[in-house]
């Protein structure tokens, strides 16, 4: 269901009503065409002929101006109705019963594009449409119905506040109500700038969340050559000073996975850490604390990068064994951490061997007599695990390699993994950060 969307929003409903192209056909999104990005939607069509075959389409333009599109062919039931929760796609961008298939199967016309949605103030606008299919599915006829939907990043009542405090640069999202709420430092992206999507969506589910930049915004450097743990310590202290905050956790993805491991291992009072497809050693830049280097960089072997026919590269085997003796200076001492870990690895991660890193970390923790971790292996999914119901990304530009890379996974299984993971993240953080028993359960 849509959270924090009061009846007052219904006054805007005329903006999102079906645009009828036929006097009979009606296209609907339930519970509403205006909802949160991570809300499960029910797509329904009525007014078709009995057993009529039609094409359903979706299109959306990302923050960079790139258009993503999908199309699937369906057959109406005897009453001339379609329900994507019930009816299978016969052909197109996906097949089978996939209620959100029109969204996760959207692709750009050009290769190596990732759907960029980083600005929380702008909703994801999606145009859905129904089209006639001419003789034996050989072509498309006229448009029967259209619907413009808005998928919000921020739930009603969530406050967004830019942060420029000391050295910290980021954005803070706070849910409505008195709190206290579990708090999260979200390291969603490691490249320059900010991505607000996951932070904003988590705030809509009852978390105080701050996402921070390391470089590339405001008065920060355009590029960096080293990372200082002091910056995250300062960010956490700022987060803890907020009125509705008592306990703090961390979320990550890819390179920021090793950053949250270091934060949890070297800094006190981190109660929960979500590591997603990261590394168990420090990568890319040396890590400093109190002006002293505490971790060196795990080397990257360019000679083991594999090219593909699409022009994208596979980097999975370019990272050596972090536990090897020659790499010990980069290995993060997670056995020092007092909080809980959620290790999430995609089985088909082509960026690097995330499942192997999970094996190394869990064995090391057990060796030290610790069981403060949970593991989730996502079958058939690739590297970029994001909040659910966005377009699957098969390959895109890699900021550090400077070339497009293959992320791995299959669209259908990757989309299912994102739904499972989103629920698990909320449950894990709430279980280990919640301040009282009144917090709402994870919702999709």
């Amino acid at each position: 269901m849509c959270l924090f969307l009061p009846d007052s929003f219904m006054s805007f409903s005329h903006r999102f009503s079906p645009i009828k192209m036929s006097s009979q056909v009606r296209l609907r999104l339930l519970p509403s065409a205006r909802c949160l990005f991570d809300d499960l939607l029910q797509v329904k069509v009525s007014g078709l002929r009995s057993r009529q075959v039609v094409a359903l389409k979706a299109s959306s333009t990302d923050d960079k101006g790139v258009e993503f599109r999908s199309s699937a062919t369906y057959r109406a039931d005897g009453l001339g109705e379609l329900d994507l929760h019930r009816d299978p796609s016969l052909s197109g961008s996906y097949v089978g019963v996939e209620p959100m298939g029109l969204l996760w199967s959207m692709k750009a016309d050009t290769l190596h594009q990732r759907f960029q949605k980083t600005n929380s103030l702008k909703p994801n606008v999606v145009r859905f449409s129904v089209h006639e299919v001419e003789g034996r599915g050989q072509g498309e006829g006229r448009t029967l119905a259209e619907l413009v939907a808005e998928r919000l990043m921020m739930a009603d009542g969530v406050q967004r506040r830019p942060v420029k405090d000391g050295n910290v640069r980021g954005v803070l999202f706070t849910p409505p109500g008195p709190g206290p709420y579990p708090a999260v430092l979200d390291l969603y992206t490691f490249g320059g700038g900010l991505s607000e999507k996951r932070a904003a969506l988590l705030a809509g589910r009852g978390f105080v969340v701050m996402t921070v930049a390391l470089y590339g915004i405001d008065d920060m450097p355009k590029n960096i050559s080293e990372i200082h743990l002091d910056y995250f310590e300062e960010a956490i202290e700022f987060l803890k000073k907020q009125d509705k905050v008592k306990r703090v956790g961390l979320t990550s993805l890819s390179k920021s996975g090793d950053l949250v491991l270091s934060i949890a291992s070297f800094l006190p009072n981190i109660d929960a850490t979500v590591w997603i497809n990261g590394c168990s050693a420090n990568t890319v830049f040396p890590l400093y604390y109190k002006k002293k280097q505490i971790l060196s960089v795990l080397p990257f072997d360019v000679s083991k990068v594999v090219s593909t026919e699409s022009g994208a590269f596979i980097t999975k085997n370019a990272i050596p064994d972090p536990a090897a003796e020659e790499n010990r200076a980069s290995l993060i001492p997670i056995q020092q951490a007092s909080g809980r870990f959620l290790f999430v690895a995609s089985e088909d991660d082509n960026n690097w061997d995330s499942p192997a890193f999970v094996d190394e970390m869990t064995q090391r923790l057990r060796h030290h007599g610790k069981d403060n971790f949970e593991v989730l292996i996502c079958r058939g999914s690739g590297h970029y695990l994001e909040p659910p119901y966005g377009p699957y990304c098969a390959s895109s530009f890699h900021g550090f390699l400077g070339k497009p890379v293959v992320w791995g996974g299959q669209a259908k299984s990757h989309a299912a993994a994102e739904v499972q993971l989103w629920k698990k993240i909320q449950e894990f953080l709430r279980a280990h950060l919640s301040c009282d028993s009144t917090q709402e359960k994870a919702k999709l």
Side-chain angles (χ1 to χ4, degrees):
M1 62 178 293
C2 294
L3 297 184
F4 306 126
L5 299 181
D7 292 339
S8 60
F9 275 138
M10 295 304 102
S11 63
F12 297 97
S13 62
H14 66 280
R15 295 168 53 195
F16 312 105
S17 298
I19 307 170
K20 291 190 177 181
M21 310 299 291
S22 165
S23 60
Q24 295 180 340
V25 179
R26 185 184 182 196
L27 172 60
R28 291 182 294 158
L29 289 182
L30 301 176
S32 172
R34 182 181 172 90
C35 64
L36 295 178
F37 185 91
D38 58 342
D39 276 332
L40 177 64
L41 296 174
Q42 186 173 18
V43 181
K44 285 190 168 187
V45 183
S46 59
L48 300 169
R49 297 190 306 273
S50 177
R51 310 297 178 187
Q52 182 178 357
V53 176
V54 294
L56 269 66
K57 293 186 173 185
S59 65
S60 183
T61 301
D62 73 0
D63 288 351
K64 299 294 185 180
V66 179
E67 185 180 19
F68 288 70
R69 297 183 291 184
S70 63
S71 178
T73 303
Y74 285 87
R75 185 185 300 276
D77 63 14
L79 298 176
E81 296 180 348
L82 281 174
D83 182 346
L84 268 58
H85 276 249
R86 176 197 67 190
D87 300 318
S89 165
L90 306 178
S91 63
S93 301
Y94 60 94
V95 294
V97 179
E98 295 292 336
M100 301 292 277
L102 286 172
L103 294 173
W104 58 252
S105 69
M106 288 192 291
K107 292 182 180 179
D109 290 335
T110 55
L111 291 174
H112 317 315
Q113 297 290 338
R114 185 168 70 90
F115 190 83
Q116 301 280 351
K117 190 72 193 78
T118 60
N119 189 332
S120 64
L121 296 175
K122 296 181 180 180
N124 170 219
V125 178
V126 183
R127 180 175 291 273
F128 294 88
S129 55
V130 184
H131 304 261
E132 283 184 334
V133 173
E134 297 179 341
R136 297 184 180 180
Q138 297 304 309
E140 291 180 5
R142 63 190 177 114
T143 302
L144 300 176
E146 288 186 336
L147 173 69
V148 177
E150 284 193 350
R151 304 169 66 210
L152 308 176
M153 300 296 122
M154 287 175 55
D156 184 52
V158 170
Q159 295 182 353
R160 176 191 180 275
R161 176 158 64 100
V163 174
K164 192 173 183 180
D165 186 87
N167 295 309
V168 178
R169 302 292 181 269
V171 179
L172 178 69
F173 296 91
T174 307
Y181 292 109
V184 178
L185 179 64
D186 179 45
L187 304 185
Y188 180 67
T189 179
F190 181 70
L194 282 169
S195 177
E196 301 178 18
K197 179 169 68 174
R198 187 168 65 183
L201 291 171
L202 278 175
R205 303 304 181 184
F207 297 86
V208 173
V209 190
M210 184 167 71
T211 182
V212 296
L214 284 177
Y215 61 96
I217 70 167
D218 297 334
D219 55 352
M220 303 186 85
K222 291 184 178 180
N223 294 288
I224 56 174
S225 59
E226 59 192 38
I227 296 176
H228 291 260
L229 203 60
D230 314 67
Y231 178 75
F232 303 107
E233 185 175 44
E234 188 177 349
I236 291 167
E237 288 304 313
F238 174 85
L239 191 52
K240 286 182 176 179
K241 291 177 182 177
Q242 306 310 303
D243 292 338
K244 300 180 181 182
V245 170
K246 295 296 182 183
R247 306 174 71 182
V248 175
L250 309 168
T251 51
S252 66
L253 175 64
S254 193
K255 157 61 191 173
S256 63
D258 67 66
L259 290 179
V260 297
L261 292 183
S262 293
I263 295 169
S265 300
F266 290 108
L267 300 181
N269 302 318
I270 301 299
D271 295 297
T273 300
V274 178
W275 176 99
I276 303 174
N277 288 334
C279 186
S280 57
N282 183 58
T283 63
V284 185
F285 297 122
L287 185 66
Y288 286 76
Y289 185 53
K290 305 298 184 184
K291 299 182 179 180
K292 178 182 178 182
Q293 181 175 312
I294 56 176
L295 290 174
S296 63
V297 178
L298 185 68
F300 183 87
D301 190 347
V302 179
S303 68
K304 293 185 177 180
V305 175
V306 178
S307 62
T308 68
E309 292 182 357
S310 72
F313 295 81
I314 296 175
T315 60
K316 184 170 185 175
N317 298 316
I319 294 290
D321 179 7
E325 186 61 35
E326 63 271 22
N327 298 323
R328 289 281 176 172
S330 65
L331 195 64
I332 302 166
I334 56 174
Q335 63 274 10
Q336 296 178 181
S338 59
R340 300 282 305 182
F341 290 109
L342 172 61
F343 298 131
V344 181
S346 290
E347 185 181 54
D348 195 24
D349 185 353
N350 277 338
N351 183 67
W352 46 27
D353 197 348
S354 297
F357 298 153
V358 170
D359 287 342
E360 187 280 317
M361 290 188 292
T362 55
Q363 290 177 18
R364 184 152 44 106
L365 287 171
R366 289 191 184 102
H367 177 75
H368 286 86
K370 308 198 77 170
D371 60 356
N372 58 333
F373 60 87
E374 300 175 41
V375 173
L376 177 63
I377 303 297
C378 298
R379 310 297 178 189
S381 62
H383 184 70
Y384 252 107
L385 287 172
E386 301 190 274
Y389 311 136
Y392 161 71
C393 179
S395 61
S396 67
F397 184 80
H398 192 290
F400 299 105
L401 191 63
K403 299 176 181 180
V405 299
V406 177
W407 299 117
Q410 299 296 320
K412 182 175 180 178
S413 53
H414 187 93
E418 288 183 331
V419 174
Q420 178 189 17
L421 175 59
W422 190 234
K423 181 178 180 181
K424 180 61 180 178
I425 289 173
Q426 295 176 59
E427 290 176 344
F428 174 79
L429 292 174
R430 195 165 283 114
H432 301 293
L433 299 178
S434 288
C435 305
D436 58 48
S437 59
T438 64
Q439 303 293 334
E440 62 179 293
K441 295 181 179 180
K443 292 183 179 181
L444 290 173

